């Protein structure tokens, strides 16, 4: 029997099931208004037809009210809108659960990009040895961040997990019960979570998904590629930001950092304890039973009675497992050997740290901190230090030492920065070096920024720190200067010695999110690509192996989309020893939330590295002509985006017409939605998540396409179209950029905001966006040869269409409320109570829209 095409598998296992279970869901009586479930499909139909007939959201809501409600007053309409919001939120959960349940059926788990495919490809091409060498050196690091785009509280996540399992086996009785439970479970967090709360939420994924998935993947490689031999490389590493990311988050304290590190250690020991208990029931043989019982006892005490004390070391644990393994092989016919190997692999992967807790702080904060250190510790610095050149300051920072503690200072920011360095040392002593050995400097603009951080370790009495100092380059200017900055560091004797102590490895982080916000879609991606090339060249020149850590968000506008294709497109001019990438918000739950999706996406990332190093034939090395075309396209796009960003209505439009100001009210993340505390909105202080998310809520997705159409049009009008079509056909990098931009366009819906076209203040500005959308869509279809967007991903396209259809009522309600707020504020005596009600509608509507998009911010 032939396997059905992917789109048909999607229709059978996702779309059909959703239609069936949604019909059950909307008949459940959740509230006082018994007919809400009946009215919602009718409202959805009115919305769809209304936008086709060029009605605005207010006209659509009023049209629905006059047709299906009996002379309702505004209060009754508002109550019904809140009910609709509740229903739609839960419909999205249902669709998520159905799609998660169908994941291994819709996607070929053993197909292209899988471990099996990688193994078979290597065997077909006689590259088994090369594949083993690759796996002994290559690593994939997924770093879970706490950026606020995950709206589901813990109780709802639990329901999704149970619902997914019930849908998988078509248990209608359980599904009905869970849908009823879902209808009565609150989605709203009344208080903002603390950074520790965020950490606990994400550790759930470590314990329940990554622990099992990654262990089994290593087991597969060990058995099928390494013939049972131990793999000395970890291959997969996990990173963790909640509790360590201080950039713009005043709620991350040293106490929180230490508490999160302890929770990570306790969680991994608890996972080991669970596995040991299962093993104990099997390893009942003489000479083994007492060993396993002793380990179980020590782990139990370390987890449940420790108060920070550990009763077994990592080395002791590993040694006992090796001892048990040898006895089993010699005396017990290798019985249960696979289970022992699996636990050993997990121990090698996760140690006693589970995931590496990264510390991150902004260079501007470091500057303040250093100023206080210089002012306070006058004996350590020349009197004219502030007047010295950057080169002279770096020379002094290379040699300065002390033994500072937080008690030496008065300002909270200096105290917390100094104590964070001492905390790193404490965590390493308890969790091992991998517990906390990376310090990231966001907004890094110079070599001085790095040397200030480097000097802080010496000033805190930590000589030869076992820490990687990682500059994060974000703006277009900083990306272009990155290689010069790193050359300054490579030629500094003190920093050079530090790198030698770190095996001559330098990690550099590159920020897709802020890069796009700063320079637009094409310029940001091309600047990062070129920065990787120049950083690779300068690092190779000085004998340093550079590792790139990509700060990505979920959507294409923030470096998301088809991520594995991006990594597969890196040519030999870019160092590719590791793939390091941030994963956040609902992208964690959508890409790594189940065992199947986690395995699929991790395998695709590893396979992308193998494709680039082993299986590509140099076709992804860009020619001089390709480089020139990309340079010109990026510059044209950048010029268009810059002009747009500098438009006097840019910030006012986001403030008055979008949901930007409502992100702070959602209580979904611990950190503030902008970096400064002032009321005045400054573009530079605006965080990438609310920036990109606000465009997504408007269904305009500007950061994912703006400027692309203008750039392509220039080539079309100057008879150079063949150059861009050749680039599209020859370069996987450029093709991936185009395809990801198509995704941004597919999630755009301009009829929703077409009423702004007639607005006195913002009509012209809206038209600029719409014209660029139309031009970009036309030319992306032309370059690809498609008749519709995302034609080559029919299942992805279908998923987006259904999700957009589910949230259309929500978007309409949101825009209706924004319109009402605008009208009320224009009155001489605005009704503040009424404004507050509509503002609550806008805030509530954010939740479902973001969850439905799965990668909207």
């Amino acid at each position: 029997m032939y396997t059905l095409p992917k789109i048909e598998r999607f229709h059978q296992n996702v779309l059909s099931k959703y239609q069936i279970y949604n019909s059950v869901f909307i008949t459940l009586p959740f509230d006082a208004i018994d007919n809400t479930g009946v009215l919602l499909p009718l409202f959805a139909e009115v919305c769809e037809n209304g936008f086709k007939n060029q009605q605005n959201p207010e006209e659509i809501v009023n049209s629905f009210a006059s047709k299906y409600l009996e002379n309702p007053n505004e209060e009754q309409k508002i109550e019904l809108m809140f009910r609709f919001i509740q229903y739609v939120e839960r419909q999205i959960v249902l669709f998520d659960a159905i799609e998660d349940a169908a994941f291994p059926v819709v996607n070929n788990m053993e197909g292209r990009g899988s471990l099996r495919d990688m193994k078979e490809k290597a065997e077909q091409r006689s590259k088994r040895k090369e594949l083993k060498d690759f796996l002994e050196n290559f690593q994939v690091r997924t770093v879970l961040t706490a950026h606020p785009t995950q709206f589901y509280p813990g109780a709802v996540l639990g329901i999704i997990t149970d619902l997914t399992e019930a849908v998988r086996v078509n248990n209608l009785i359980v599904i009905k019960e869970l849908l009823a439970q879902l209808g009565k479970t609150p989605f709203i967090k009344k208080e903002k979570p603390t950074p520790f709360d965020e950490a606990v939420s994400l550790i759930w994924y470590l314990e329940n998904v990554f622990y099992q998935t990654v262990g089994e993947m290593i087991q597969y490689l060990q058995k099928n590629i390494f013939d049972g031999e131990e793999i000395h490389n970890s291959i997969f590493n996990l990173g963790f930001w909640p509790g360590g990311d201080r950039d713009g988050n005043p709620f991350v304290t040293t106490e929180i950092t230490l508490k999160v590190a302890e929770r990570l250690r306790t969680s991994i020991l608890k996972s080991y304890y669970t596995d040991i208990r299962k093993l104990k029931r099997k390893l009942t043989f003489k000479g083994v039973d007492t060993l396993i019982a002793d380990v179980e006892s020590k782990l139990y005490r370390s987890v449940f009675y420790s108060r920070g004390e550990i009763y077994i070391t990592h080395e002791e644990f590993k040694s006992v497992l090796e001892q048990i393994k040898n006895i089993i092989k010699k005396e017990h016919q290798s019985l249960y050997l696979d289970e022992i190997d699996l636990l050993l692999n997990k121990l090698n992967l996760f140690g006693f740290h589970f995931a590496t807790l990264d510390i991150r702080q902004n260079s501007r904060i470091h500057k303040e901190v250093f100023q206080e250190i210089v002012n306070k510790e006058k004996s350590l610095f020349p009197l004219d230090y502030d007047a010295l050149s950057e080169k002279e300051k770096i020379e002094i920072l290379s040699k300065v030492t002390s033994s500072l503690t937080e008690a030496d200072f008065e300002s909270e920011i200096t105290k917390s920065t100094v104590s964070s360095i001492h905390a790193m040392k404490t965590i390493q002593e308890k969790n091992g070096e991998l517990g906390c050995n990376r310090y990231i400097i966001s907004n890094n603009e110079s070599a001085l920024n790095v040397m200030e951080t480097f000097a802080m370790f010496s000033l805190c009495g930590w000589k030869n720190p076992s820490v990687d100092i990682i500059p994060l380059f974000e703006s277009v200017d900083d990306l272009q200067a990155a290689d010069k900055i790193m050359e300054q560091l490579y030629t500094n004797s003190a920093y050079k010695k530090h790198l030698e102590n770190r095996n001559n490895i330098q990690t550099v982080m590159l920020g897709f999110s802020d890069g796009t916000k700063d320079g637009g879609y094409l310029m940001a991606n091309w600047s990062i690509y070129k920065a990787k090339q120049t950083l690779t060249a300068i690092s190779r020149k000085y004998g340093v192996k550079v590792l790139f850590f990509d700060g990505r968000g979920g959507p294409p506008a923030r470096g998301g989309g088809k991520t594995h294709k991006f990594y597969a497109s890196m040519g030999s001019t870019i160092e590719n020893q590791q793939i390091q990438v941030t994963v956040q918000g609902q992208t964690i739950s959508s890409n790594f939330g189940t065992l199947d999706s986690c395995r699929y996406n991790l395998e695709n990332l590893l396979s992308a590295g193998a494709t680039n190093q082993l299986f590509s034939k140099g076709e992804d090395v860009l020619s001089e002509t390709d480089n020139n075309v990309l340079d010109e396209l990026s510059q044209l796009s950048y010029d268009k985006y810059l002009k747009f960003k500098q438009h006097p209505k840019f910030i006012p439009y986001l403030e008055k017409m979008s949901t930007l100001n409502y992100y702070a009210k959602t209580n979904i993340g611990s950190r503030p939605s902008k970096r400064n505390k002032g009321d005045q909105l400054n573009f530079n202080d605006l965080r990438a998540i609310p920036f990109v998310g606000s465009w997504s809520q408007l269904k305009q997705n500007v950061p994912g396409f703006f400027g692309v159409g203008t750039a392509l049009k220039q080539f079309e009008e100057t008879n150079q179209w063949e150059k861009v079509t050749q680039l599209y056909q020859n370069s996987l990098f450029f093709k991936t950029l185009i395809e990801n931009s198509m995704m941004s366009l597919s999630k755009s819906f301009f009829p929703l905001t077409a009423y702004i076209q007639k607005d006195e203040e913002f009509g012209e500005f809206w038209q600029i966006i719409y014209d660029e959308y139309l031009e970009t869509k036309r030319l992306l279809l032309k370059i690809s040869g498609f008749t519709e967007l995302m034609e080559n991903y029919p299942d992805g396209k279908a998923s987006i269409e259904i999700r957009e259809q589910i949230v259309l009522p929500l978007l309409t309600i949101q825009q209706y409320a924004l319109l009402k707020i605008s009208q009320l504020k224009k009155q001489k005596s605005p009704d503040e109570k009424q404004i507050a009600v509509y503002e609550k509608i806008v805030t509530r509507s954010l939740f479902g829209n973001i969850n439905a998009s799965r990668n909207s911010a």
Side-chain angles (χ1 to χ4, degrees):
M1 186 176 174
Y2 292 107
T3 304
L4 291 171
K6 200 171 182 181
I7 184 63
E8 289 188 36
R9 300 201 300 273
F10 178 85
H11 283 147
Q12 277 190 7
N13 296 279
V14 179
L15 182 55
S16 298
K17 281 190 177 183
Y18 174 71
Q19 288 166 344
I20 292 165
Y21 294 138
N22 186 47
S23 65
V24 173
F25 175 68
I26 60 175
T27 60
L28 294 172
F30 291 134
D31 49 60
I33 302 176
D34 294 330
N35 62 349
T36 308
V38 177
L39 290 172
L40 180 57
L42 297 173
F43 180 58
E45 188 180 352
V46 170
C47 291
E48 197 174 325
N49 292 330
F51 287 121
K52 280 179 186 173
N53 295 323
Q54 299 179 332
Q55 288 182 306
N56 69 36
E58 188 175 11
E59 290 168 340
I60 288 170
V61 170
N62 291 336
S63 167
F64 170 79
S66 64
K67 190 173 182 180
Y68 294 106
L69 305 177
E70 292 182 16
N71 301 316
N73 57 33
E74 191 61 21
E75 193 175 318
Q76 289 171 320
K77 282 198 282 185
I78 286 168
E79 188 178 0
L80 184 58
M81 281 189 272
F82 275 118
R83 300 293 180 191
F84 282 164
I85 289 170
Q86 288 178 316
Y87 262 75
V88 173
E89 283 173 344
R90 287 154 178 80
Q91 283 180 312
I92 294 156
V93 170
L94 174 61
F95 189 78
D96 280 350
I98 291 169
E99 204 162 41
D100 285 345
F103 192 92
V105 180
V106 174
N107 297 281
N108 184 355
M109 300 296 288
E110 304 295 337
R112 191 173 180 181
S114 67
L115 295 184
R116 180 176 176 177
D117 174 59
M118 192 167 67
K119 169 184 169 284
E120 289 176 354
K121 207 178 282 183
E123 286 171 348
Q124 287 164 6
R125 303 183 188 188
S126 303
K127 288 193 172 185
R128 190 180 175 92
K129 184 183 181 301
E130 287 92 332
L131 180 58
K132 283 177 74 173
D133 291 342
F134 164 78
L135 292 169
E136 280 288 18
N137 292 286
F138 193 82
Q139 290 184 343
V140 171
R141 179 188 290 261
T142 48
V143 180
L144 307 187
T145 76
H147 294 336
T149 54
Q150 175 55 271
F151 284 79
Y152 295 139
V156 175
L157 286 171
I159 294 170
I160 293 174
T161 303
D162 294 342
L163 190 57
T164 300
E165 190 51 45
V167 168
R168 201 188 300 271
V169 294
N170 295 313
N171 190 330
L172 188 58
I173 294 170
V174 173
I175 290 167
K176 198 169 181 179
E177 287 176 346
L178 287 166
L179 290 176
Q181 181 189 351
L182 188 66
K184 294 177 179 292
T185 302
F187 273 45
I188 308 306
K189 297 171 181 174
K190 291 181 180 176
E191 295 178 357
K192 285 176 80 71
T194 67
F196 185 71
D197 294 333
E198 290 172 331
V200 171
S201 295
L202 289 191
I203 287 171
W204 184 92
Y205 291 99
L206 296 182
E207 290 178 343
N208 294 283
V209 183
F210 283 93
Y211 181 73
Q212 184 177 331
T213 305
V214 177
E216 288 176 354
M217 287 171 69
I218 293 293
Q219 184 91 331
Y220 177 90
L221 294 171
Q222 187 181 37
K223 289 177 73 172
N224 293 282
I225 295 172
F226 285 81
D227 302 317
E229 295 172 19
E230 183 182 347
I231 305 173
H232 298 102
N233 178 33
S234 60
I235 302 179
F236 296 101
N237 293 316
L238 300 178
F240 204 75
W241 276 17
D245 182 8
R246 294 162 178 264
D247 181 16
N249 193 338
F251 308 111
V252 176
T253 63
T254 301
E255 183 188 359
I256 290 276
T257 302
L258 291 169
K259 199 175 168 187
V260 169
E262 187 174 339
R263 182 61 176 254
L264 283 164
R265 185 182 70 247
T266 304
S267 294
I268 190 59
L269 292 178
K270 188 167 68 177
S271 299
Y272 293 150
Y273 171 71
T274 304
D275 279 356
I276 282 289
R277 284 196 66 188
K278 291 175 186 173
L279 262 178
K280 189 186 172 190
R281 293 187 65 177
K282 296 179 177 180
L283 302 180
T284 52
F285 325 130
K286 186 180 178 183
V288 172
D289 53 350
T290 52
L291 289 171
I292 202 105
D294 184 52
V295 169
E296 181 200 28
S297 171
K298 288 176 178 176
L299 283 172
Y300 183 83
R301 281 184 287 159
S302 299
V303 172
F304 299 106
Y305 287 106
S306 69
R307 292 186 181 177
E309 194 173 344
I310 304 162
Y311 293 90
I312 185 169
T313 65
H314 181 270
E315 292 72 23
E316 183 188 349
F317 190 8
K318 185 174 181 180
S319 175
V320 173
L321 286 178
E322 293 283 8
Q323 193 180 344
I324 291 170
K325 181 177 175 179
N326 289 332
I327 295 171
I328 292 288
K329 285 168 78 174
K330 286 178 184 176
E331 300 176 21
H332 303 291
Q333 293 78 47
S334 297
L335 202 55
Y336 301 123
L337 190 63
D338 277 357
E339 283 92 332
I340 299 165
D341 274 338
L342 180 58
L343 185 51
L344 268 168
N345 283 329
K346 288 175 179 176
L347 188 60
N348 289 335
L349 284 166
F350 305 120
F352 276 18
H353 63 283
F354 214 159
T356 299
L357 184 61
D358 289 349
I359 305 296
R360 183 172 80 134
Q361 186 54 283
N362 198 295
S363 66
R364 291 168 189 167
I365 298 296
H366 283 168
K367 192 174 180 182
E368 285 179 43
V369 168
F370 227 82
Q371 195 60 56
E372 185 173 355
I373 292 173
V374 171
N375 294 343
K376 189 93 168 44
E377 304 295 324
K378 290 187 167 58
S379 62
L380 299 173
F381 299 91
L383 292 174
D384 63 344
Y385 179 80
D386 289 339
L388 298 178
S389 67
E390 181 184 355
K391 189 178 179 182
E392 289 168 326
K393 284 180 179 177
I394 287 174
E395 192 58 36
I396 289 162
L397 295 175
S398 303
K399 299 168 185 173
V400 69
T401 60
S402 188
S403 51
L404 304 177
T405 66
E406 60 179 301
D408 297 324
F409 302 96
E410 292 175 9
S411 82
E412 281 305 314
I413 194 65
T414 306
K415 279 176 174 288
S416 68
T417 304
V418 169
S419 65
S420 71
I421 288 170
H422 290 292
M424 291 182 80
K425 200 168 189 178
T426 302
I427 294 167
Q428 288 195 12
E429 287 164 2
K430 292 191 171 186
N431 294 18
E433 185 189 312
L434 290 174
C436 190
N437 68 342
R438 290 153 52 102
Y439 197 114
I440 300 159
I441 312 156
S442 54
N443 191 44
N444 196 97
E445 297 175 327
S446 65
L448 182 62
N449 291 157
V450 177
M451 289 305 293
E452 283 175 342
T453 309
F454 174 68
M456 275 194 276
F457 285 89
S458 300
L459 286 165
C460 290
W462 195 353
K463 293 179 181 177
N464 302 321
S466 46
V467 173
D468 296 321
I469 296 165
I470 303 173
L472 165 52
F473 299 106
E474 298 176 88
S475 72
V476 171
D477 288 344
D478 293 339
L479 287 165
Q480 289 172 350
D483 61 323
K484 303 289 187 297
I485 290 170
M486 295 315 298
E487 185 169 28
Q488 276 182 272
L489 296 166
Y490 293 157
T491 53
N492 176 275
S493 57
Y495 196 79
K496 186 181 177 186
K497 187 183 175 189
H498 167 68
L499 283 179
E500 286 169 0
N501 292 334
R502 304 300 294 159
N503 299 315
N504 275 323
I505 295 171
Q506 172 68 55
T507 303
V508 174
M509 190 173 178
L510 305 160
F512 282 79
S513 305
D514 284 287
T516 304
K517 181 169 79 82
D518 179 55
Y521 180 71
L522 269 185
M523 178 58 90
N525 280 277
W526 182 229
S527 294
I528 287 170
Y529 188 94
K530 288 203 296 184
K532 285 187 174 184
Q533 286 183 318
T534 56
L535 285 164
T536 297
I538 204 70
S539 299
R540 286 173 179 173
K541 178 182 174 181
Y542 290 98
V544 175
K545 184 164 81 173
V546 66
L547 304 177
F548 295 115
F549 177 21
D550 292 329
R552 294 175 175 273
R558 298 189 56 230
K562 301 292 179 184
T563 310
H564 62 281
K565 289 184 75 172
F566 173 85
Y567 287 113
S569 73
M570 300 290 102
S572 58
T573 56
I574 292 176
E575 201 71 73
N576 190 35
Q577 288 295 307
Q578 287 193 18
I579 290 175
Q580 298 189 24
V581 60
T582 55
V583 193
Q584 60 203 36
Q586 77 276 44
T587 312
I588 296 173
S589 53
S590 61
N591 287 3
F592 301 95
T594 66
L595 297 172
D596 292 321
S597 63
C598 182
R599 177 192 148 195
Y600 182 85
N601 284 294
L602 284 178
E603 287 190 8
N604 267 276
L605 284 174
L606 184 62
S607 178
T611 298
N612 191 24
Q613 285 198 31
L614 296 178
F615 305 130
S616 66
K617 299 170 185 175
E619 62 264 29
D620 293 317
V621 176
L622 296 167
S623 68
E624 190 178 343
T625 304
D626 293 336
N627 275 285
N628 292 338
V629 171
L630 275 162
D631 276 338
E632 193 174 342
L633 284 170
S634 299
Q635 191 59 50
L636 288 164
S637 174
Y638 180 59
D639 292 343
K640 176 73 173 179
Y641 179 76
L642 209 58
K643 188 179 176 185
F644 174 65
K645 197 172 75 172
Q646 290 165 350
H647 194 289
K649 294 300 176 188
F650 187 92
I651 293 293
Y653 183 80
L654 283 173
E655 282 191 298
K656 294 180 184 179
M657 307 306 284
S658 84
T659 57
L660 181 68
N661 293 324
Y662 296 87
Y663 271 78
K665 301 175 183 180
T666 54
N667 291 333
I668 51 165
S670 68
R671 71 178 187 175
S673 60
K674 59 190 180 82
R675 286 185 169 92
N676 71 342
K677 294 179 183 177
D679 293 330
Q680 188 70 32
L681 182 62
N682 181 305
F683 183 82
N684 294 326
D685 289 321
L686 187 58
R687 290 196 177 281
I689 286 172
F691 174 73
V692 173
S694 297
W695 290 113
S696 173
Q697 295 280 328
L698 281 167
K699 288 294 155 191
Q700 292 174 4
N701 286 322
V702 160
F705 73 82
F706 198 88
V708 177
T710 294
L712 290 171
K713 188 180 180 183
Q714 177 67 18
F715 275 76
E716 182 187 51
E717 290 180 342
T718 55
N719 298 317
Q720 299 180 78
W721 187 250
E722 192 179 329
K723 288 182 181 178
V724 289
T725 53
Q726 283 183 346
L727 181 64
Y728 177 80
Q729 288 161 6
N730 298 336
S731 168
L732 182 60
F733 166 72
F734 184 63
K735 194 171 191 175
T736 304
L737 283 188
I738 294 298
E739 288 179 353
N740 282 342
S741 192
M742 280 189 189
M743 189 188 292
S744 293
L745 293 172
S746 296
K747 292 185 177 185
S748 297
F749 182 66
F750 278 85
L752 178 72
T753 55
Y755 69 90
I756 301 175
Q757 197 172 15
K758 298 171 186 172
D759 187 90
E760 267 185 52
E761 186 179 359
F762 296 111
E764 181 195 339
F765 188 77
W766 183 91
Q767 193 65 46
I768 291 170
I769 302 168
Y770 186 51
D771 289 345
E772 185 65 17
Y773 162 80
L774 290 175
E775 200 66 344
T776 304
K777 182 179 177 181
R778 178 181 75 83
L779 290 166
L780 291 198
L781 291 175
K782 182 177 178 178
I783 197 173
S784 62
F786 297 162
T787 53
E788 53 185 31
L789 297 169
M790 292 184 70
E791 193 177 290
N792 55 336
Y793 293 108
D795 57 311
K797 183 175 183 291
S799 177
I800 288 170
E801 285 172 354
I802 296 164
R803 288 174 179 279
E804 296 298 318
Q805 191 180 326
I806 293 169
V807 295
L808 188 61
L810 212 56
L811 293 164
T812 309
I813 289 167
Q814 184 185 90
Q815 285 296 320
Y816 175 83
L818 286 168
L819 269 166
K820 285 291 187 182
I821 292 165
S822 177
Q823 290 167 8
L824 286 166
K825 284 185 174 179
K826 286 174 183 173
Q827 292 176 2
K828 285 185 179 179
S829 302
D831 185 338
E832 295 299 333
K833 280 188 178 179
Q834 195 73 0
I835 289 172
V837 171
Y838 288 120
E839 285 183 337
K840 189 178 178 184
I841 289 177
V842 175
T843 305
R844 280 298 311 276
S845 64
L846 286 170
F847 292 67
N849 288 333
I850 288 236
N851 284 328
S853 295
R854 282 210 149 182
N855 68 352
S856 60

